């Protein structure tokens, strides 16, 4: 059994505005009062902090839920990544974490998904990692 984690930018590419479709909607649309929320393809537009998911995020949530039975999105306090590219000047992304528990790890499927997300979210690189887990 594996825990697969996808670290995704809230925005499409550095410097672009995030999808504002649900950014001003407040309230926990998924009904979870903890530090994470169970993503719902139908109503997972934004979280309590107002971070809106793009259509890519919503479609991914629906795809992972259909394929694996669920997905957890940690999106209330996005992590802030900062790096300095070769051209100089600092760039940053706000990152949300999506997690899925899978019985067997299909590395080729996850690699293809990562490449598709890099293209769709206009990123040079997206981190998708798998951690072997034992349910206790």
């Amino acid at each position: 059994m594996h825990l697969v984690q996808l670290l995704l930018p809230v925005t499409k590419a550095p410097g672009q505005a995030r999808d504002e479709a649900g950014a001003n909607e407040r309230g926990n649309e998924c009904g979870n009062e903890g530090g994470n929320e169970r993503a719902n393809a139908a109503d997972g537009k934004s979280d309590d902090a107002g971070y809106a998911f793009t259509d890519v995020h919503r479609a991914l949530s629906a795809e992972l839920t259909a394929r694996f039975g669920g997905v957890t999105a940690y999106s209330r306090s996005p992590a802030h990544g900062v790096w300095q590219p070769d051209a100089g000047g600092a760039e940053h992304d706000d990152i949300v974490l999506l997690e899925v528990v899978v019985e067997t790890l299909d590395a080729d499927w996850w690699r293809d998904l990562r490449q598709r997300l890099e293209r769709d979210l206009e990123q040079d690189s997206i981190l998708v990692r798998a951690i072997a887990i034992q349910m206790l």
Side-chain angles (χ1 to χ4, degrees), residues 111-128:
R111 190 174 303 109
D112 291 345
L113 176 65
R114 178 186 50 79
Q115 291 170 347
R116 187 180 87 211
L117 290 169
E118 288 170 347
R119 182 188 68 244
D120 293 349
L121 293 171
E122 302 173 21
Q123 297 292 304
D124 292 333
S125 177
I126 288 179
L127 179 61
V128 177

Side-chain angles (χ1 to χ4, degrees), residues 104-114 130:
T104 57
L105 183 65
D106 182 348
D108 291 333
W109 186 86
W110 288 103
R111 190 174 303 109
D112 291 345
L113 176 65
R114 178 186 50 79

Side-chain angles (χ1 to χ4, degrees), residues 66-90:
R67 184 174 178 108
F68 301 107
V71 61
T72 300
Y74 296 87
S75 59
R76 289 192 180 175
S77 298
H80 303 284
V82 179
W83 70 97
Q84 188 168 359
D86 294 337

Side-chain angles (χ1 to χ4, degrees), residues 25-44:
E25 297 174 16
R26 297 289 186 207
N28 187 344
E29 298 176 3
C30 297
N32 184 339
E33 297 301 322
N36 67 63
E37 59 185 59
R38 180 71 58 179
N40 182 315
D43 62 6

Side-chain angles (χ1 to χ4, degrees), residues 16-69:
Q16 290 185 348
R18 68 178 188 257
D19 174 11
E20 295 292 339
N24 294 323
E25 297 174 16
R26 297 289 186 207
N28 187 344
E29 298 176 3
C30 297
N32 184 339
E33 297 301 322
N36 67 63
E37 59 185 59
R38 180 71 58 179
N40 182 315
D43 62 6
K45 291 182 182 176
S46 66
D47 65 12
D48 282 347
Y51 287 95
F53 288 117
T54 66
D55 289 340
V56 173
H57 293 92
R58 286 188 287 276
L60 176 61
S61 177
E63 179 180 0
L64 295 174
T65 299
R67 184 174 178 108
F68 301 107

